[in-house]
Structures are given as C-alpha cells and as structure tokens.
Amino acid sequence: MDNSFIIDNLLQQQEGNRLEYMAKPTKDAIAKTITAFINTQGGDLLIGVDDNKKVVGIENAEKFKVIIQRLLIETIKPIAPISVQVINYKKKELILISVWEGAKKPYQFKGKIYSRENDATKVSNLETLSSLVNQRKKADFEWERRTVLGATINDLDLEEINQTITLYRAYKPDSVIEDAEDFLYQMGLLQSGSLTNAAIVLFGKKPARFIPQSRIRLTIYPSNKSGDVFLNDRILEGNIFKNITTIIDFFAIYFGKKLIVDGNIRTEKTNYPLFAMREGILNAIVHRDYNSVNGFMQISIFSDRTEISNYGGLPNGITIKDLKREHNSVLRNPDIAQICFIRKYIEMLGSGTLRMINDCKNNGFKAPVWTDKDDITTVAFPELTMVGTASEGVNEGVNEGVNEGVNRVGFDDESEGVNDDLNMILKLIDKEPGIKAPRIAEQLQKGLSTVERYIKKLRDQNYIEFRGAAKNGGYHRMT
C-alpha cells in the first residue's frame, strides 16, 4: 500500500511531544527518542527529514530499517510494539518509526529511562520516574490484567497460542520461550498462576463462558433501520482470532467480488473496501470496553450502509476530527493490542483511521463516517450493502458481485438464514478442501449436529462429497 499520504499528514505538523524529524540519524539517538515516546504518549519518528521539514531521504533505507528495528526490539526493555516502515516519498526513501504509549512503564534503553518534554528527549528525573512507576501500578489494576476465576490453561486454544509464539520469535529472534505457559507469563497474560481477562479474550476456546460481553453480533437488516426483523443474525462466541476469521469470511460471501477484464488480463476486486473494513473490525476489537457487563460489539449491514459499533467511547482528548489526521492513539486494552500486533493484524501503529479513509478513496467507496455517542463508537461505510435491490440507494453491483464472485447458490425451500449457512459451508470448503465437520462448526460458530444436517443437505444435492478414510478424510466440492 502506498503510504505517502501519511508523510503528507505528518509534514503538516510541528515537532512536539509525539513527533520528531531526524535528518542524520544515529542508532543511539533513535533508540533514546523511541524510548521517550513509549514512556510518554507514543509517537512518530520520521527519519530522512530535517528540522525545517526538508525531505533529504535515507540511503539504503531497507538495510538500515532491518538494523534499527532489531536494535530497538532487543535493547528497549521491557519489550513494546514498534513499527518500522520504509516509505517512498517524492522519489526519496524515508523511515517512519511509530510506537504506542507503553503500558509497562518505565521503559529503558541501556539502563537509562527517557521521557518526552515538548520536542525534546530527556533523561527522566526523579519526579518523572515516580510518575511512570505510578502509571505502571495503575495499569496493573485495569480490566485486562484482572485474573479470571476458575480458568486454566486447558480453557485456551493452544493452536492459536503456538501460532502467536512462532510470529513472536520472528519479531524478536533473541527471545527464549520454553512453552505456551512461559509465553503467557512473559506477555503478562498469566499472573501468579492465574489467567488474565486478556488471555481469555485472545485465546479462550469459549471466552463467552467467562466473559459474556466478549460476544460479537453480526446482523443483516432488510431496511435502513435496526429492529426485530432481520435477514440474518449471528452471535460469534469465539476468541478474537477465530472471530476475525469468521467476520472476514462473512464479508467475502455477503459482499462478494467482481471480475474485471482489461484486454487479456482478468482480475478480481472485492465489492467492499477490504483493508478499511478489516481495520474497522480491529479498531473495535482492540478499543472496545470489555469491562462493562453491558459492553458489546455489533456489525450491522443495512440497506444503505454498513456499521461497526462497539461499546467504549473515544478516549479523553480524542475527537472525531482527530480521526481524520495523525493523532494520539490511547489504548484501552494494550495487552490485547500488543498480541494483535504480534499476529500482524495490526501492521502499522497509528494512522489506522487515515489509512481507512485512503483505502475507501482509492477503491471508489465513500469515506467512512465516525460517530461517538453515549459511550458507543461507530464507523459507518455509506452505501455499502448487499441487501436486495428493492431498497433505495443500494449498489446493484453488490448482489451481482456476490453471485459472480463466490458462486452463491440459491437453495430451494430454505430460509434466507439457512441459505446463508449453506453458502458459508461451500465457501469454507473452497477455501480449505478436505475440511472436517468439527472445523466447519467451529468456523460458523454453530453446533456440530446443525452443521452435520447442513452437510447432509449439500451432499444429497451433489454439491459436496466426502473423500478419504473416515479418520483422515474431509469434504470437497463435487467436480
């Protein structure tokens, strides 16, 4: 993705608490500044631009990026998410280093603790150090780090944890991890032998058993208003990573894609802004207020828009206007955010809302619209829908794209909801040939008996077949 628009946005701002330009970088100067950002409010370091905002560029930027990224990850203690990107801007290469405000303060580099005062990086004095320690103590009592009564390692999905460990080792090659339990301990997800709320939400087999408000509701309405009548209504009760996969698969089926032919070249394009909606989902998951038993996350597809809403208003000091420019990213759930970063669901720190706007613009969709009311944050994608063309303002190409892009099947004598589930099963089999019924049930968040009944319908109508031995075989599309 071309991220030069982020540089345009940064160059409109002055150096300060969260932004510094650096023309001639040294490793130590970079590390000190990044440590100070983590200890203060997070921020961006733009390398290859001087104090007068003149773009001078960096030679061998990709090579320097690898060197500096490893240095920062290995020498700043404790470990924090650090995003290092090479961005081509006006034929010159720049390096953008972005960090969030840390949740495990104080952070240090070479035994010294740095903080940010206006546009200066300084060694922390006793007063600042005391404040950082107090912030750490306060963070340890936040919802994420409270322990879950009765939960054990057996309640976690070890496959998801092991995937995360693999990516963590790639991010921090010098890490030493004995096993899943040791990893959870190092990440602060296991404290004094007890799992934290964050651990359950991230990796739980059935998180809703312990944290009912972790559920996600996904609803398709026949009109432009919510109500008791809907075309499809689904409750997702998996962990964060299972839910993300389910939602993305859901979008792929319901919005679909279209075939574009340019001469002899055939390409596929989604009927929705994939990156923007993916980012919107991640923002809602990472920033939602899980602490309240009334907390929720809702994805609603109306006849004239699609909305992603979550309980948890914008943090103090952040306004709707700020979302349209580079802004301070205040993390409500830093432990969840860090694991999502390790899993590469978050590719760049900060700039997420800017990139959502840019993705919509570049792909011919209207810009997302944010609202913040009654502690509910909502991002709406205008005119993005798949509901029938009888509704005013519906994009006719959406339904066409569903049918053409994913070969949606209309099953006779079945309700719309069952039709949807049958098509989801076909989609999963196309995506993962040889998939078994328990895996399908897990992905659809449905009971195994229900899924087996749907599979029988598909087999009876010769859409799918079982291949292989009962123990090792799985379902495939009929050829």
Side-chain angles (χ1 to χ4, degrees), residues 27-28 30-31 34-35 47 61-85 95 97 108-110 167-175 341:
K27 296 176 185 176
D28 277 15
I30 293 171
I34 294 302
T35 305
I47 303 174
E62 286 290 348
K63 182 178 179 181
F64 187 69
K65 167 198 166 182
V66 173
I67 294 171
I68 200 63
Q69 185 174 42
R70 176 159 294 185
L71 171 75
L72 296 174
I73 293 169
E74 293 180 354
T75 60
I76 295 177
K77 309 292 183 182
I79 188 170
I82 300 172
S83 168
V84 185
Q85 302 284 331
I95 293 179
I97 306 177
Q108 59 176 300
F109 169 66
K110 290 186 176 180
L167 291 170
Y168 181 75
R169 285 177 170 146
Y171 177 70
K172 194 176 189 300
D174 66 335
S175 60
F341 174 77

Side-chain angles (χ1 to χ4, degrees), residues 14-266:
Q14 300 300 319
E15 288 184 304
N17 231 28
R18 299 193 65 259
L19 176 63
E20 181 166 324
Y21 303 123
M22 193 176 289
K24 296 181 179 180
T26 65
K27 296 176 185 176
D28 277 15
I30 293 171
K32 291 175 183 178
T33 299
I34 294 302
T35 305
F37 280 150
I38 299 172
N39 275 328
T40 314
Q41 296 179 347
D44 300 297
L45 173 60
L46 187 53
I47 303 174
V49 176
D50 67 19
D51 290 340
N52 297 316
K53 301 185 182 180
K54 180 181 178 182
V55 178
V56 296
I58 294 289
E59 294 184 4
N60 301 315
E62 286 290 348
K63 182 178 179 181
F64 187 69
K65 167 198 166 182
V66 173
I67 294 171
I68 200 63
Q69 185 174 42
R70 176 159 294 185
L71 171 75
L72 296 174
I73 293 169
E74 293 180 354
T75 60
I76 295 177
K77 309 292 183 182
I79 188 170
I82 300 172
S83 168
V84 185
Q85 302 284 331
V86 174
I87 298 178
N88 191 290
Y89 183 76
K90 296 184 178 179
K91 299 183 179 180
K92 292 186 178 179
E93 289 188 320
L94 307 178
I95 293 179
L96 176 62
I97 306 177
S98 303
V99 292
W100 289 317
E101 179 178 352
K104 300 177 181 178
K105 301 174 184 177
Y107 292 79
Q108 59 176 300
F109 169 66
K110 290 186 176 180
K112 292 185 178 181
I113 297 167
Y114 298 89
S115 55
R116 195 78 175 163
E117 294 183 22
N118 298 319
D119 60 352
T121 294
K122 297 183 178 181
V123 176
S124 300
N125 55 32
L126 288 176
E127 182 181 353
T128 302
L129 180 56
S130 177
S131 174
L132 294 174
V133 172
N134 286 333
Q135 290 177 48
R136 170 65 176 268
K137 290 179 179 178
K138 181 180 178 182
D140 286 341
F141 287 97
E142 295 295 331
W143 177 87
E144 275 193 309
R145 295 179 186 171
R146 296 177 198 158
T147 55
V148 181
L149 185 65
T152 70
I153 294 291
N154 292 331
D155 292 307
L156 302 183
D157 186 333
L158 288 180
E159 181 182 343
E160 291 290 355
I161 297 175
N162 288 331
Q163 285 185 44
T164 309
I165 291 173
T166 298
L167 291 170
Y168 181 75
R169 285 177 170 146
Y171 177 70
K172 194 176 189 300
D174 66 335
S175 60
V176 178
I177 301 169
E178 294 181 4
D179 52 25
E181 188 170 333
D182 182 45
F183 174 73
L184 294 172
Y185 176 78
Q186 291 188 36
M187 294 294 102
L189 301 174
L190 182 66
Q191 298 188 9
S192 302
S194 297
L195 294 170
T196 65
N197 282 322
I200 295 296
V201 170
L202 285 161
F203 299 119
K205 293 176 182 176
K206 296 181 179 179
R209 174 187 165 196
F210 300 98
I211 307 170
Q213 65 270 29
S214 67
R215 294 182 174 96
I216 298 175
R217 186 177 182 185
L218 208 164
T219 308
I220 301 176
Y221 293 99
S223 67
N224 62 358
K225 295 180 180 180
S226 60
D228 295 332
V229 179
F230 39 79
L231 300 179
N232 198 333
D233 192 38
R234 176 172 296 177
I235 302 295
L236 309 184
E237 297 189 337
N239 60 48
I240 281 176
F241 304 112
K242 290 290 191 292
N243 285 344
I244 290 172
T245 299
T246 300
I247 294 168
I248 295 300
D249 286 344
F250 187 94
F251 285 166
I253 285 180
Y254 282 95
F255 292 111
K257 52 193 173 184
K258 56 190 173 185
L259 186 66
I260 299 175
V261 180
D262 185 4
N264 294 324
I265 300 175
R266 296 158 61 94

